[in-house]
C-alpha cells in the first residue's frame, strides 16, 4: 500500500515475453528509465514518473526473479511462471499481487540467500527491522510453505529463524 500511495518504491514482475511491450506501455505513460552505472542488470529496469502534484513514483521492474544483495543480484531464479500463477487481485487497488503464501515463499527464499555468507549476514542484520516488517506483512506461517513452490525449501525451515518469531537464520554448511 505504501508503494501505491507513493511513499515507497514498487517491485513488479513482468513476463520476459512482454519485455518490449511493457517498456513501450510505460514510456507512453510518461515513465522514464534511469540506470545506475554501478548496478546494471539486464532483467531489472528502474522507472520513474512525476505526477501532476509533484509526487515521484519509482518502479523496479523485474523480467525474471533476480535477487541477492542490493548491488550484486547474483541469483536468477526461473520461477516467474510459478509466481504469475500465484497472483490475485488486491482488494483495495485492483492490482495483481502475489497471494500471501507466495509472498512468504519468496521472502523465505530471499531470507535464506541473505543469511549465507558472513558479509550478507552483516548487511541483512543492518536492515533486520525492515525485513521483520516484510515477513509480518506476508501473514503466513513457515509451515504453510512446506512442500510449496518449485524450489524445495523444506530442509531450511527448522533453522530459518522464522518458526517462532523473527530472527536471523541459524544454519551451517556441513563440510563432512
Amino acid at each position: 500500500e505504501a508503494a501505491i500511495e507513493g511513499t515507497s518504491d514498487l517491485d513488479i514482475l513482468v513476463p520476459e515475453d512482454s519485455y518490449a511491450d511493457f517498456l513501450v506501455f510505460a514510456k507512453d505513460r510518461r515513465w522514464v528509465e534511469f540506470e545506475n552505472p554501478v548496478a546494471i542488470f539486464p532483467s531489472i529496469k528502474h522507472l520513474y514518473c512525476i505526477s501532476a502534484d509533484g509526487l515521484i513514483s519509482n518502479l523496479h521492474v523485474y523480467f525474471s526473479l533476480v535477487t541477492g544483495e542490493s548491488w550484486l543480484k547474483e541469483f536468477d531464479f526461473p520461477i516467474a511462471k510459478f509466481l504469475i500463477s500465484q497472483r490475485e487481485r488486491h482488494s483495495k487497488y485492483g492490482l495483481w499481487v502475489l497471494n500471501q503464501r507466495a509472498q512468504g515463499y519468496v521472502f523465505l527464499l530471499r531470507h535464506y540467500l541473505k543469511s549465507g555468507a558472513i558479509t550478507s549476514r552483516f548487511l541483512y542484520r543492518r536492515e533486520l527491522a525492515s525485513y521483520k516488517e516484510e515477513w509480518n506483512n506476508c501473514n503466513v506461517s513457515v509451515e504453510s510453505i512446506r512442500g510449496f513452490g518449485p524450489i524445495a525449501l523444506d530442509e531450511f525451515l527448522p533453522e530459518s529463524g522464522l518458526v517462532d518469531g523473527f530472527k536471523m537464520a541459524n544454519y551451517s554448511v556441513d563440510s563432512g
Side-chain angles (χ1 to χ4, degrees):
E1 291 190 20
I4 299 301
E5 294 169 1
T7 59
S8 176
D9 55 3
L10 179 64
D11 293 350
I12 65 171
L13 176 65
V14 174
E16 279 186 275
D17 60 357
S18 298
Y19 180 95
D21 291 338
F22 176 81
L23 291 178
V24 168
F25 175 86
K27 289 177 182 177
D28 286 349
R29 283 153 185 80
R30 299 186 1 245
W31 287 89
V32 178
E33 180 182 349
F34 285 90
E35 286 186 354
N36 178 338
V38 177
I40 298 174
F41 305 101
S43 58
I44 304 173
K45 299 292 180 190
H46 300 278
L47 303 177
Y48 295 84
C49 188
I50 301 175
S51 70
D53 59 355
L55 181 68
I56 299 174
S57 298
N58 177 2
L59 286 179
H60 297 168
V61 185
Y62 291 77
F63 296 98
S64 66
L65 182 62
V66 180
T67 191
E69 298 308 333
S70 296
W71 299 103
L72 296 179
K73 303 294 188 211
E74 66 268 48
F75 301 101
D76 187 353
F77 293 99
I79 64 172
K81 287 182 182 179
F82 164 76
L83 295 175
I84 290 169
S85 77
Q86 298 298 312
R87 66 187 180 164
E88 59 187 26
R89 291 273 185 191
H90 190 280
S91 60
K92 183 175 179 182
Y93 299 108
L95 296 172
W96 289 108
V97 296
L98 284 179
N99 64 46
Q100 290 180 313
R101 190 175 183 200
Q103 286 180 34
Y105 176 82
V106 170
F107 180 89
L108 187 62
L109 183 62
R110 291 175 53 238
H111 180 72
Y112 175 71
L113 295 172
K114 291 175 182 279
S115 299
I118 290 172
T119 54
S120 297
R121 291 178 70 83
F122 172 75
L123 293 171
Y124 194 58
R125 187 172 304 280
R126 288 179 43 199
E127 300 292 328
L128 205 56
S130 172
Y131 288 114
K132 180 178 181 180
E133 181 180 350
E134 184 180 341
W135 173 246
N136 289 339
N137 286 335
C138 293
N139 198 29
V140 294
S141 70
V142 171
E143 282 304 312
S144 73
I145 298 170
R146 186 173 297 284
F148 182 70
I151 300 169
L153 301 176
D154 293 6
E155 288 182 37
F156 174 66
L157 298 180
E159 301 299 325
S160 68
L162 304 175
V163 174
D164 185 28
F166 183 91
K167 58 186 174 194
M168 293 286 292
N170 182 21
Y171 73 94
S172 61
V173 177
D174 181 6
S175 60

